[in-house]
Amino acid sequence: MRLVLLGPPAAGKGTQSARLQERYHIPQLSTGDILRAAVEAGTPGGLAAKAIMDRGGLVPDETVIGIVSDRLSEPDARGGFILDGFPRTVPQAEALARLLESQNLKLDAVIELKVDDAVLLGRIAKRASDSRAGGASIRSDDNPEAFKARLAAYHAQTEPVAAYYAGKGLLKTVDGMAPVETVAAEIAKLLDIAARSAP
Ligand code: AMP
């Protein structure tokens, strides 16, 4: 199963990816996680990305396309994968299509989690206060200003990616405001249908 999970920040992509990972035994590939690890490791690429990530902007396409191309060539991704946080722009989606085509592979489905902005802003405020209360560290881009920039980037640059996949007949939209279990069940139902109708 080769999947893309689309959705604004705090839509629940990470939570649903973890479940899909278990259900289908395929790795979750999160460009955000890979970039944060590069920042943590202090690599030149990580340092260049950090300032952009902290203000909620998008890292250049060529950087993330390189990351995904490397990651998809690792052995554990051969049997399938869940892309979480990539593609975020139409050029990234086109690069992914070329990459998969060069290996005679195709995406099975693109799942889009739909959540209203007001709900997302509420979730992020709660995430920050829960982290503070629990003494955990808060992501440096989970402050209200960076979050608003991430949301604006989603509307401007990533929503066209949903339209791109809708045009290819791959897009499946799920109400991301439903309880976690309901969202998971809805995704499973859609993927079972996609698997049954696959050529
Ligand atoms: P995430 O963990 O997916 O919310 O990503 C955190 C941050 O990493 C984003 O706000 C961007 O700055 C950067 N990032 C992650 N994935 C991408 C991508 N596909 N394209 C551009 N920037 C990305």
Side-chain angles (χ1 to χ4, degrees):
M1 184 76 83
R2 280 177 287 276
L3 303 174
V4 166
L5 263 190
L6 281 183
K13 297 189 299 295
T15 305
Q16 296 300 331
S17 293
R19 293 183 175 231
L20 289 166
Q21 184 166 1
E22 260 181 44
R23 186 182 166 98
Y24 294 102
H25 308 288
I26 46 177
Q28 168 204 9
L29 313 183
S30 154
T31 41
D33 284 350
I34 297 171
L35 285 164
R36 276 185 291 277
V39 169
E40 197 65 22
T43 65
L47 294 178
K50 183 173 174 14
I52 300 173
M53 293 168 74
D54 281 351
R55 60 169 187 267
L58 290 187
V59 171
D61 285 341
E62 56 275 21
T63 306
V64 284
I65 291 166
I67 288 174
V68 168
S69 166
D70 288 349
R71 184 63 187 85
L72 289 184
S73 66
E74 288 179 29
D76 66 334
R78 259 182 226 145
F81 52 78
I82 307 148
L83 279 169
D84 161 4
F86 180 95
R88 262 175 154 99
T89 65
V90 171
Q92 290 178 22
E94 290 168 344
L96 177 63
R98 284 193 298 273
L99 198 66
L100 293 175
E101 215 173 272
S102 70
Q103 300 170 37
N104 264 324
L105 298 173
K106 276 194 188 142
L107 287 175
D108 292 287
V110 176
I111 306 278
E112 179 195 28
L113 298 179
K114 279 250 187 217
V115 182
D116 292 347
D117 285 6
V119 172
L120 296 169
L121 290 164
R123 281 187 188 177
I124 211 71
K126 184 172 181 312
R127 205 192 261 183
S129 77
D130 286 354
S131 299
R132 263 192 302 272
S137 61
I138 300 167
R139 257 174 66 166
S140 55
D141 59 353
D142 266 356
N143 61 76
E145 252 159 55
F147 189 79
K148 281 187 188 141
R150 287 160 65 199
L151 206 47
Y154 185 80
H155 290 309
Q157 286 164 283
T158 312
E159 273 173 4
V161 176
Y164 167 90
Y165 285 125
K168 304 212 172 287
L170 283 171
L171 189 73
K172 316 213 173 289
T173 300
V174 173
D175 174 8
M177 289 176 287
V180 170
E181 295 303 332
T182 311
V183 176
E186 186 61 22
I187 293 175
K189 198 167 85 192
L190 290 170
L191 293 181
D192 287 346
I193 296 168
R196 275 204 298 277
S197 59

